[in-house]
Amino acid sequence: MEEFRRAYVQLCKESGTQPQETVLQQLHELREGPGQSRLDFATQSLSVDTCRVLGKLLQDEILFTEIMLSDCMLNEEGVRHLLNGLCSNTVVKSLDLKGNNLRALGAEALGKLLRQNKSIRSLTLEWNSLGMWEEGFSLFCQGLGANRFLQWLDLRNNQINHQGAGELAMALKCNSSLQELDLRWNNIGLLGGRALLSCLHSNKTLKRLELAGNNVPSDILKAVEQAMNHNQDRQTILAENHSRTRVLSKEVFSLKEEKAKQFLDLMDTIDKQKEEITKSSRTSAARVGQLQEALNERQSVMNSLKAKLQMTEAALALSEQKVQNLGELLSATKQEQASMTECQLKELRQQKQEAAGRETKLLQDLSAANEKNLLLRNQVDELERRCKAQQDQLFQVKQDLTNTTAELKLRAVQAEERLGMEKKRFKQGLEDVESLRLKEVDHMTHHMEASERSMQERIQRLEAIRIGLEEELSRVKAAAFAERGQAEEELIKVRGQARLEEQQHLDHLEEKLRLMTQSRDEAQNYCLQQKQAVGEAQAKVSQLTLQTEGLKRRMEELQKDLSGKEQEKVAEVNKVRVELQEQIGHLQAERTAQEGLKEKIAALERQLKALSSNHREALLDKESEISTLQEKLRMKEAEISRMREEEAHRASFLQNAIMAYVQGSALGPLSPRK
């Protein structure tokens, strides 16, 4: 408030006028008062210069919402300055110009104010003379007709005649914001009342019209009162309808948002399920590739084992031949020993007297040699039994290997068939999901195009989003294929490494076989040496015993070596069996994992079906709700149109009755002036 006072003093100095003391005193009182939003200059006489300064100040003033200028005896020039300043003001809500004797210029300035100002809601013009000049009042009425913000207008005691009432009626036909109009204590008369009554057929916003003290007949007053009641009822109905339409629009908007959210959630769930399905397909393809690689590796291992078995069979055949050769050598040695014994007996008979002690020794040696020969025979028999047992074991191993290869082949074929079936089911599921999604999108687009245009734009956007998502899916598929190629390359590398390891293992086994062949060659060489020793034993019996003992020791060592080799073979066969069992266990575990994946895929398909059914039910529910709401709106609109027709019919009937009454009877007594 102090700033307003300082600005007033400054403008007075700039314009070369003296500040008015009453204005300064009033501003000082307003500064000390509790309320600062009301500018009250009532009963204060304001000069033209003061009005000019106040008009300039009020152009951009945002402090005052109510201005009181009643009974200020303003000059028309001063009123013009004040009202021109208020034309650009956007804060003032109430203006009181009571008792200022406004005339033609004031009416023109008020018309300009009503055309340009957009903030004034209440205007008090009581005890003025606006109706005395027809041109000025017509400009005022034109401004009133163009105004869309004024709600309360007081025109009491303004000397308005029936022509001014006609101008007001024309203005009220164009005005759509005025709610209360006070025209008491004017000179409207019968014609003015008829004009105002006729304008009420088109004006539906005016709720209160005071016409007392205007020489208006009572029937017109009653008709005006009925029209006001009708407007009030219409305003209440319109307010209720507006509130209901707001509520319905909010509900429809919320339903639209819920539908959009549900659609987006459905698209997100479909995309997530597609991603999960693609991931599961990738994992299943990778596992299938691993299984195929494992099967290939097992086949290579089986082939290598077959080759090893063939080599072991050849080695066993050679060992059998060696055993036969050793048996023949033993029989030859026996025959030679028998012949040597006979020769020795003959020599002993001849030399009984010379070598009695030697005969006893030789007899003892011969008995020991016979015992050793028997032991050798027993050992040879045991070796033959062991060879037969080894042959039986090798035959059993061959049968086991053939059975395992057949089972692996059958399992590989079954796995390939299951993979083909799973791929077909997966493709069929994807096609079903895609067709369902396309059908749902088509249904939603048709329904929303029929219901509202805004939903069509929304669906088009969602379609664009869907296309983008499909493009992203294609890109993700391309990336998945690239990853699959990389995985295949890695698998090829792993296969190469496995093959290298297998080759190293084969080299190791070949080295073992080479060592065995070397040991076998050494045994053959040793046998040849034994043959030479036996030839020498024919000449020297004493050396034969020693050589037989060496042969026994060598045979024991050979038996130990053979037992060790047999144990190594058995251990290797057991290792191969354990590895085959482990591989079979891995294959069974992978099979169970594939069955789990199949169950997951079936569960996901069931979830997709449930979600799609729920979404369809929700869409149907929302569509039924929207249809019911639209039906309610149509019913309300039908009721409003029916009420409008009834009111128009009532007004026409009332107008006809009034005209008949006026034409058929004389004018009644005028109402007394208050």
Side-chain angles (χ1 to χ4, degrees), residues 127-138:
W127 290 104
N128 286 291
S129 301
L130 297 175
M132 291 179 66
W133 285 267
E134 295 180 0
E135 294 180 359
F137 192 70
S138 65

Side-chain angles (χ1 to χ4, degrees), residues 92-144:
V92 176
K93 304 292 183 184
S94 176
L95 178 61
D96 189 356
L97 294 173
K98 176 182 176 183
N100 284 293
N101 197 18
L102 302 179
R103 298 186 181 183
L105 293 176
E108 292 178 4
L110 286 170
K112 182 180 178 182
L113 175 68
L114 291 175
R115 280 194 299 272
Q116 297 181 4
N117 188 276
K118 297 181 181 180
S119 63
I120 294 176
R121 301 291 184 270
S122 175
L123 180 60
T124 302
L125 299 173
E126 185 182 0
W127 290 104
N128 286 291
S129 301
L130 297 175
M132 291 179 66
W133 285 267
E134 295 180 0
E135 294 180 359
F137 192 70
S138 65
L139 293 173
F140 171 75
C141 292
Q142 290 176 6
L144 179 62

Side-chain angles (χ1 to χ4, degrees), residues 6 27 47 124-125 135 153 157 210 270 320 444 531 570 580 611 666:
R6 291 175 183 174
L27 291 174
S47 62
T124 302
L125 299 173
E135 294 180 359
L153 178 61
N157 292 305
E210 297 289 342
I270 289 169
E320 287 177 356
M444 288 178 70
K531 286 179 181 180
V570 171
L580 287 172
L611 287 171

Side-chain angles (χ1 to χ4, degrees), residues 195-250:
L196 291 172
L197 182 61
S198 64
C199 79
L200 294 177
H201 294 297
S202 58
N203 189 310
K204 302 298 181 181
T205 58
L206 193 63
K207 296 191 291 185
R208 181 183 176 191
L209 178 61
E210 297 289 342
L211 295 174
N214 283 284
N215 297 324
V216 179
S218 61
D219 53 354
I220 294 176
L221 291 175
K222 289 181 181 178
V224 169
E225 186 177 359
Q226 289 179 359
M228 292 298 101
N229 293 328
H230 174 66
N231 283 342
Q232 289 178 1
D233 295 336
R234 183 178 178 278
Q235 289 293 327
T236 55
I237 292 168
L238 286 174
E240 291 177 357
N241 287 328
H242 283 304
S243 62
R244 290 177 182 176
T245 51
R246 284 196 215 95
V247 172
L248 290 173
S249 63
K250 289 180 180 178

Side-chain angles (χ1 to χ4, degrees), residues 624-642:
S624 62
E625 290 178 1
I626 289 169
S627 61
T628 53
L629 291 172
Q630 289 178 353
E631 187 66 24
K632 288 181 181 179
L633 283 172
R634 285 196 293 272
M635 291 173 67
K636 293 295 181 182
E637 289 176 356
E639 288 179 0
I640 290 167
S641 62
R642 183 174 58 77

